[in-house]
Amino acid sequence: MTVLVALAANLVIAVAKGAGGVLAGSPALLSEAAHSVADSLNEVFLLAALRRSRRPADTRHPFGYGKERFFWSLLAAVGIFVMGGCFSFFQGLEALHGGAEEKFSGYVAGLIVLGVALVAEAGSLLRALHQVRRQGGGLGGLRDPALRTVVAEDGTAVLGVTLALIGMALHMVTGQVVWEASASLAIGVLLVYVAYRLGRDARDQLIGEAADPELSGRIRALLRAQPEIDSVEALFTMKLGLDSMLVAARIDLVPGLDSERVEEVADRIKRSLARTFPDAGQIFLDVTDRRPGGARESPAATGERGGA
């Protein structure tokens, strides 16, 4: 619902900004129109992410489709950069080189459009922030990349509209187009920065981001508390989706356990992990001897690909 509200707001605002920008010949207003068009397309990407990421695991994707959200969020970040940021830079530079017409006949209508857009964008932002609070607030409420993207887009839109209003008003008062061109360039810088931050987060999650250290510490503590485990040689975690995580541990068991007992212990430990950490949808235990010197290399570093 949060994404749909943002999409509806951006579609209406994009049309209004585009018409007002053409009428007034305003580079700042046209930059904001490009911003709203980019946001609208991004909301379509996010809707696709929400739908596709819910598909169940199958033989081709045994770990599920949770990372679809991260992929489409990355595309949304690229859309903000290309359609919003680059077009805003183009409008600002063109205005500085004399491409903007010195006419104010449509500026009053343009300012009205921006005022209405500011109210609509603020309403969409409040709806997104309400969703964040419902999901725990703070960073915990922004775990969902789709929601995080909507909050970033709406927050950027509010700031961008404010910059466009200031630039247009100063242009009208002073007659200097440099104010409006600067506003357009500032909008471009803002959009490029937001696109970079969203793209970086999506990249980290796509290439296999580990669970946060606090959660990893709790998993390690639970493993160490098991009487049959002598030591936890290594622990690896990876986010598979919004509410899905892979846990792989290399453990050294106490001496004297036969093969049947090892199977029972491993099964009980995995059930305990799944019960305590519901997000741990995939759990692998590698029973091994303690390494000399306590080395804890990753499977990629050691060349091992074992699992039990």
Side-chain angles (χ1 to χ4, degrees):
M1 180 57 67
T2 298
V3 178
L4 288 173
V5 169
L7 175 60
N10 281 314
L11 284 174
V12 174
I13 293 169
V15 174
K17 286 178 181 177
V22 173
L23 178 64
S26 167
L29 193 51
L30 288 173
S31 295
E32 272 301 298
H35 180 187
S36 294
V37 171
D39 286 352
S40 299
L41 290 177
N42 290 339
E43 259 83 62
V44 175
F45 288 155
L46 297 179
L47 288 174
L50 294 173
R51 182 180 64 85
R52 294 176 64 86
S53 66
R54 293 175 181 145
R55 291 181 294 172
D58 52 34
T59 55
R60 187 174 182 184
H61 295 88
F63 294 110
Y65 291 82
K67 288 193 175 185
E68 286 268 13
R69 292 199 184 201
F70 310 143
F71 170 73
W72 291 98
S73 295
L74 179 61
L75 290 186
V78 173
I80 293 175
F81 174 80
V82 174
M83 298 189 62
C86 293
F87 186 80
S88 296
F89 279 124
F90 170 76
Q91 286 294 319
L93 293 174
E94 186 180 45
L96 286 176
H97 286 83
E101 297 182 23
E102 294 291 334
K103 63 177 183 179
F104 303 112
S105 58
Y107 266 52
V108 174
L111 290 172
I112 294 174
V113 168
L114 286 177
V116 174
L118 183 61
V119 173
E121 297 285 12
S124 180
L125 177 61
L126 290 175
R127 176 66 178 81
L129 293 177
H130 174 69
Q131 182 71 19
V132 171
R133 286 194 297 270
R134 286 180 56 189
Q135 296 186 187
L139 294 177
L142 292 174
R143 292 184 310 124
D144 187 344
L147 181 57
R148 185 168 60 246
T149 302
V150 171
V151 171
E153 286 180 351
D154 289 343
T156 305
V158 170
L159 186 54
V161 170
T162 303
L163 289 172
L165 279 168
I166 294 173
M168 290 180 66
L170 289 175
H171 186 186
M172 291 182 67
V173 171
T174 64
Q176 300 294 321
V177 73
V178 66
W179 292 107
E180 197 168 350
S182 299
S184 185
L185 291 173
I187 293 170
V189 171
L190 179 65
L191 293 176
V192 168
Y193 173 73
V194 171
Y196 165 74
R197 290 297 301 270
L198 291 174
R200 187 184 66 177
D201 291 343
R203 178 208 62 188
D204 291 342
Q205 293 166 326
L206 275 174
I207 63 178
E209 187 178 32
D212 64 82
E214 188 272 337
L215 178 57
S216 295
R218 289 167 53 201
I219 295 174
R220 184 181 293 274
L222 188 149
L223 290 171
R224 286 176 173 171
Q226 306 303 313
E228 297 86 359
I229 295 181
D230 191 29
S231 66
V232 179
E233 296 301 305
L235 175 65
F236 309 103
T237 60
M238 183 174 65
K239 296 178 182 178
L240 299 176
L242 181 60
D243 297 310
S244 179
M245 174 179 58
L246 181 147
V247 177
R250 184 180 296 133
I251 58 176
D252 180 27
L253 299 179
V254 296
L257 298 179
D258 58 31
S259 60
E260 184 175 349
R261 179 62 176 156
V262 168
E263 292 179 3
E264 293 176 357
V265 168
D267 186 59
R268 179 179 58 78
I269 292 174
K270 287 194 287 185
R271 288 201 307 269
S272 178
L273 284 171
R275 184 170 57 251
T276 307
F277 306 100
D279 288 353
Q282 302 287 342
I283 303 173
F284 300 92
L285 298 178
D286 182 10
V287 180
T288 184
D289 292 331
R290 182 192 296 272
R291 292 179 176 274
R296 294 183 179 182
E297 298 89 348
S298 70
T302 62
E304 297 180 15
R305 300 183 62 182

